[in-house]
Amino acid sequence: MMHTVKLLCVVFSCLCAVAWASHHRQPCHSPPLTSGTMKVISTGGHDLASGEFSYDSKANKFRFVEDTAHANKTSYMDVLIHFEEGVLYEIDSKNESCKKETLQFRKHLMEIPPDATHESEIYMGSPSITEQGLRVRVWSGKLPELHAHYSLSTTSCGCLPVSGSYYGEKKDLLFSFFGVETEVDDPQVFVPPAYCEGVAFEEAPDDHSFFDLFHD
Protein backbone atom coordinates (compact mmCIF):
# COMPACT_ATOMS: atom_id res chain seq x y z
CA MET A 1 0.00 0.00 0.00
CA MET A 2 2.82 2.38 0.93
CA HIS A 3 4.54 1.68 -2.42
CA THR A 4 1.28 2.53 -4.21
CA VAL A 5 0.97 5.83 -2.36
CA LYS A 6 4.59 6.71 -3.16
CA LEU A 7 4.04 5.83 -6.82
CA LEU A 8 0.94 7.99 -6.99
CA CYS A 9 2.83 10.88 -5.42
CA VAL A 10 5.62 10.50 -7.97
CA VAL A 11 3.14 10.35 -10.87
CA PHE A 12 1.29 13.43 -9.58
CA SER A 13 4.57 15.33 -9.18
CA CYS A 14 5.58 14.40 -12.74
CA LEU A 15 2.24 15.53 -14.12
CA CYS A 16 2.61 18.85 -12.29
CA ALA A 17 6.11 19.22 -13.68
CA VAL A 18 4.84 18.60 -17.21
CA ALA A 19 2.09 21.19 -16.71
CA TRP A 20 4.68 23.64 -15.39
CA ALA A 21 6.95 23.10 -18.39
CA SER A 22 4.26 23.39 -21.06
CA HIS A 23 4.39 26.47 -23.26
CA HIS A 24 0.93 25.94 -24.78
CA ARG A 25 -1.38 26.20 -21.81
CA GLN A 26 -5.10 25.89 -22.44
CA PRO A 27 -7.54 27.10 -19.78
CA CYS A 28 -7.78 24.50 -17.05
CA HIS A 29 -11.07 23.17 -15.73
CA SER A 30 -12.30 23.37 -12.16
CA PRO A 31 -12.68 20.09 -10.24
CA PRO A 32 -16.22 18.62 -10.37
CA LEU A 33 -17.01 20.05 -6.93
CA THR A 34 -15.42 22.85 -4.93
CA SER A 35 -16.34 24.72 -1.77
CA GLY A 36 -14.77 27.20 0.60
CA THR A 37 -14.85 30.85 1.59
CA MET A 38 -15.15 33.69 -0.90
CA LYS A 39 -14.48 37.32 -0.06
CA VAL A 40 -15.32 40.22 -2.38
CA ILE A 41 -14.09 43.79 -1.99
CA SER A 42 -14.17 46.87 -4.18
CA THR A 43 -10.93 48.27 -5.54
CA GLY A 44 -11.51 51.14 -3.11
CA GLY A 45 -11.10 48.68 -0.26
CA HIS A 46 -14.76 48.37 0.79
CA ASP A 47 -15.89 44.95 1.96
CA LEU A 48 -18.81 43.88 -0.23
CA ALA A 49 -19.42 40.24 0.72
CA SER A 50 -17.84 37.33 2.55
CA GLY A 51 -19.26 33.86 2.97
CA GLU A 52 -19.32 30.22 1.99
CA PHE A 53 -19.46 29.15 -1.66
CA SER A 54 -20.23 25.80 -3.31
CA TYR A 55 -19.68 25.14 -7.00
CA ASP A 56 -20.63 22.22 -9.23
CA SER A 57 -18.58 22.63 -12.39
CA LYS A 58 -20.27 19.81 -14.33
CA ALA A 59 -23.78 21.17 -13.82
CA ASN A 60 -22.48 24.77 -13.67
CA LYS A 61 -24.35 25.57 -10.46
CA PHE A 62 -23.18 27.99 -7.79
CA ARG A 63 -24.35 28.73 -4.24
CA PHE A 64 -23.14 31.57 -2.07
CA VAL A 65 -24.31 32.17 1.49
CA GLU A 66 -23.00 35.32 3.10
CA ASP A 67 -21.61 35.18 6.61
CA THR A 68 -24.12 36.91 8.91
CA ALA A 69 -21.24 38.17 11.05
CA HIS A 70 -19.90 40.13 8.06
CA ALA A 71 -20.08 43.93 8.43
CA ASN A 72 -23.18 45.76 9.68
CA LYS A 73 -25.93 44.65 7.35
CA THR A 74 -29.68 44.33 7.75
CA SER A 75 -29.93 41.64 5.07
CA TYR A 76 -27.54 38.95 3.89
CA MET A 77 -27.00 37.35 0.54
CA ASP A 78 -28.05 33.77 -0.14
CA VAL A 79 -28.01 33.09 -3.86
CA LEU A 80 -28.27 30.00 -6.02
CA ILE A 81 -27.35 30.31 -9.70
CA HIS A 82 -28.03 27.72 -12.39
CA PHE A 83 -25.81 29.18 -15.09
CA GLU A 84 -26.76 26.71 -17.82
CA GLU A 85 -30.45 27.54 -17.41
CA GLY A 86 -29.74 31.22 -16.81
CA VAL A 87 -31.67 31.34 -13.54
CA LEU A 88 -30.73 33.23 -10.38
CA TYR A 89 -32.52 32.57 -7.08
CA GLU A 90 -32.25 35.01 -4.19
CA ILE A 91 -33.24 33.00 -1.13
CA ASP A 92 -34.52 34.21 2.23
CA SER A 93 -34.60 31.09 4.38
CA LYS A 94 -35.64 33.01 7.50
CA ASN A 95 -38.88 34.20 5.92
CA GLU A 96 -39.10 31.28 3.46
CA SER A 97 -39.35 33.59 0.49
CA CYS A 98 -37.66 33.49 -2.89
CA LYS A 99 -36.91 35.86 -5.74
CA LYS A 100 -36.22 34.45 -9.20
CA GLU A 101 -34.55 36.32 -12.06
CA THR A 102 -33.31 35.54 -15.54
CA LEU A 103 -29.55 35.69 -15.97
CA GLN A 104 -28.80 36.53 -19.58
CA PHE A 105 -25.03 36.84 -19.16
CA ARG A 106 -23.71 33.52 -17.86
CA LYS A 107 -19.95 33.89 -17.51
CA HIS A 108 -18.49 34.07 -14.02
CA LEU A 109 -15.23 33.76 -12.09
CA MET A 110 -15.66 30.19 -10.87
CA GLU A 111 -14.69 28.82 -14.29
CA ILE A 112 -12.00 30.06 -16.66
CA PRO A 113 -13.61 31.03 -19.99
CA PRO A 114 -12.32 28.95 -22.94
CA ASP A 115 -10.97 32.08 -24.67
CA ALA A 116 -8.92 33.20 -21.65
CA THR A 117 -5.26 34.05 -22.19
CA HIS A 118 -2.57 32.48 -20.03
CA GLU A 119 -0.47 35.38 -18.76
CA SER A 120 2.07 33.77 -16.48
CA GLU A 121 2.89 31.05 -14.00
CA ILE A 122 4.46 32.25 -10.77
CA TYR A 123 5.28 31.26 -7.22
CA MET A 124 3.59 33.06 -4.36
CA GLY A 125 5.87 32.84 -1.34
CA SER A 126 9.01 30.70 -1.54
CA PRO A 127 9.65 28.10 -4.27
CA SER A 128 12.44 26.43 -2.29
CA ILE A 129 11.15 26.18 1.29
CA THR A 130 8.72 23.33 1.96
CA GLU A 131 5.10 24.42 2.44
CA GLN A 132 6.04 28.09 2.15
CA GLY A 133 4.90 28.70 -1.41
CA LEU A 134 2.08 28.27 -3.88
CA ARG A 135 2.48 27.94 -7.63
CA VAL A 136 -0.29 29.72 -9.50
CA ARG A 137 -1.33 30.39 -13.06
CA VAL A 138 -2.65 33.79 -14.06
CA TRP A 139 -5.33 34.09 -16.74
CA SER A 140 -6.97 37.14 -18.27
CA GLY A 141 -9.60 38.05 -20.82
CA LYS A 142 -12.34 40.41 -21.89
CA LEU A 143 -16.10 40.36 -21.40
CA PRO A 144 -17.18 42.57 -24.30
CA GLU A 145 -20.90 42.21 -23.54
CA LEU A 146 -20.26 43.91 -20.19
CA HIS A 147 -17.53 46.24 -21.49
CA ALA A 148 -15.26 44.68 -18.91
CA HIS A 149 -12.11 42.65 -18.48
CA TYR A 150 -10.95 40.19 -15.84
CA SER A 151 -7.97 38.38 -14.37
CA LEU A 152 -7.97 35.02 -12.57
CA SER A 153 -5.37 33.15 -10.54
CA THR A 154 -5.66 29.38 -10.03
CA THR A 155 -3.43 26.76 -8.50
CA SER A 156 -1.06 25.38 -11.12
CA CYS A 157 -2.00 21.78 -10.36
CA GLY A 158 -5.68 21.30 -9.62
CA CYS A 159 -7.10 24.55 -11.04
CA LEU A 160 -8.47 25.68 -7.68
CA PRO A 161 -9.47 29.36 -7.48
CA VAL A 162 -7.04 31.63 -5.62
CA SER A 163 -8.05 35.17 -6.56
CA GLY A 164 -9.71 37.18 -9.29
CA SER A 165 -10.42 40.71 -10.42
CA TYR A 166 -13.18 42.25 -12.52
CA TYR A 167 -12.98 45.72 -14.05
CA GLY A 168 -16.15 47.04 -15.65
CA GLU A 169 -18.01 50.23 -16.49
CA LYS A 170 -20.18 50.08 -13.38
CA LYS A 171 -17.79 48.60 -10.82
CA ASP A 172 -14.40 47.08 -10.11
CA LEU A 173 -14.24 43.97 -7.91
CA LEU A 174 -11.55 41.87 -6.24
CA PHE A 175 -12.24 38.23 -5.29
CA SER A 176 -10.29 36.04 -2.86
CA PHE A 177 -10.81 32.35 -2.10
CA PHE A 178 -9.81 30.59 1.12
CA GLY A 179 -9.90 27.05 2.49
CA VAL A 180 -10.96 25.59 -0.85
CA GLU A 181 -11.91 21.89 -0.82
CA THR A 182 -12.68 19.55 -3.71
CA GLU A 183 -16.00 18.45 -2.25
CA VAL A 184 -19.38 19.81 -1.22
CA ASP A 185 -20.78 18.57 2.09
CA ASP A 186 -24.43 18.80 1.06
CA PRO A 187 -25.33 18.48 -2.67
CA GLN A 188 -28.81 19.81 -1.80
CA VAL A 189 -27.33 23.32 -1.70
CA PHE A 190 -27.74 23.32 -5.50
CA VAL A 191 -31.48 22.55 -5.28
CA PRO A 192 -33.88 25.50 -4.83
CA PRO A 193 -36.03 25.28 -1.68
CA ALA A 194 -39.61 24.08 -2.10
CA TYR A 195 -40.93 27.60 -1.49
CA CYS A 196 -39.18 28.74 -4.69
CA GLU A 197 -41.44 26.53 -6.79
CA GLY A 198 -44.03 28.44 -8.77
CA VAL A 199 -42.37 31.81 -8.13
CA ALA A 200 -42.67 34.03 -11.20
CA PHE A 201 -39.60 35.50 -12.85
CA GLU A 202 -38.90 39.14 -12.06
CA GLU A 203 -37.68 41.47 -14.77
CA ALA A 204 -33.92 41.90 -15.00
CA PRO A 205 -31.70 43.95 -17.34
CA ASP A 206 -30.35 42.21 -20.44
CA ASP A 207 -26.79 42.55 -19.08
CA HIS A 208 -27.71 41.21 -15.62
CA SER A 209 -24.76 39.13 -14.45
CA PHE A 210 -23.02 37.34 -11.59
CA PHE A 211 -21.01 40.51 -10.95
CA ASP A 212 -24.15 42.57 -10.21
CA LEU A 213 -24.59 40.64 -6.97
CA PHE A 214 -21.78 42.59 -5.34
CA HIS A 215 -22.26 46.27 -4.63
CA ASP A 216 -21.86 48.89 -1.88
Side-chain angles (χ1 to χ4, degrees), residues 92-166:
D92 184 344
S93 56
K94 182 178 180 180
N95 297 311
E96 293 194 350
S97 62
C98 187
K99 179 180 177 182
K100 187 164 65 172
E101 298 176 338
T102 301
L103 198 69
Q104 297 290 353
F105 187 81
R106 304 179 187 181
K107 289 184 179 179
H108 52 91
L109 288 190
M110 300 308 300
E111 196 74 53
I112 301 173
D115 59 351
T117 299
H118 181 267
E119 295 291 346
S120 61
E121 194 158 16
I122 59 174
Y123 250 103
M124 298 174 63
S126 172
S128 58
I129 304 175
T130 304
E131 296 185 353
Q132 297 301 313
L134 176 67
R135 192 165 65 196
V136 300
R137 294 183 179 189
V138 182
W139 312 84
S140 68
K142 296 181 179 180
L143 304 172
E145 300 91 335
L146 301 181
H147 305 286
H149 63 277
Y150 66 87
S151 176
L152 282 170
S153 296
T154 65
T155 56
S156 183
C157 290
C159 203
L160 299 180
V162 176
S163 63
S165 59
Y166 167 87

Side-chain angles (χ1 to χ4, degrees), residues 13-210:
S13 298
C14 290
L15 289 174
C16 287
V18 170
W20 173 257
S22 173
H23 294 289
H24 303 286
R25 298 182 180 91
Q26 299 299 317
C28 59
H29 297 286
S30 297
L33 295 172
T34 49
S35 61
T37 299
M38 183 176 78
K39 184 179 178 65
V40 187
I41 66 173
S42 68
T43 50
H46 297 105
D47 289 349
L48 303 182
S50 181
E52 299 303 309
F53 78 88
S54 302
Y55 179 57
D56 180 338
S57 67
K58 288 187 175 181
N60 207 4
K61 295 179 180 180
F62 173 80
R63 182 76 177 264
F64 178 73
V65 181
E66 192 171 9
D67 182 0
T68 56
H70 174 72
N72 296 315
K73 292 187 175 183
T74 55
S75 61
Y76 297 91
M77 191 187 313
D78 182 351
V79 294
L80 170 62
I81 307 177
H82 290 183
F83 286 104
E84 289 299 318
E85 292 82 6
V87 181
L88 185 153
Y89 299 90
E90 293 187 26
I91 299 166
D92 184 344
S93 56
K94 182 178 180 180
N95 297 311
E96 293 194 350
S97 62
C98 187
K99 179 180 177 182
K100 187 164 65 172
E101 298 176 338
T102 301
L103 198 69
Q104 297 290 353
F105 187 81
R106 304 179 187 181
K107 289 184 179 179
H108 52 91
L109 288 190
M110 300 308 300
E111 196 74 53
I112 301 173
D115 59 351
T117 299
H118 181 267
E119 295 291 346
S120 61
E121 194 158 16
I122 59 174
Y123 250 103
M124 298 174 63
S126 172
S128 58
I129 304 175
T130 304
E131 296 185 353
Q132 297 301 313
L134 176 67
R135 192 165 65 196
V136 300
R137 294 183 179 189
V138 182
W139 312 84
S140 68
K142 296 181 179 180
L143 304 172
E145 300 91 335
L146 301 181
H147 305 286
H149 63 277
Y150 66 87
S151 176
L152 282 170
S153 296
T154 65
T155 56
S156 183
C157 290
C159 203
L160 299 180
V162 176
S163 63
S165 59
Y166 167 87
Y167 300 98
E169 286 187 328
K170 295 186 288 185
K171 66 185 71 183
D172 299 332
L173 304 170
L174 300 176
F175 295 79
S176 298
F177 301 89
F178 307 96
V180 179
E181 302 286 350
T182 55
E183 60 183 3
V184 171
D185 290 337
D186 181 12
Q188 290 300 307
V189 296
F190 301 118
V191 179
Y195 49 81
C196 288
E197 293 182 10
V199 174
F201 280 97
E202 296 190 15
E203 289 188 17
D206 290 340
D207 61 352
H208 191 40
S209 75
F210 164 82

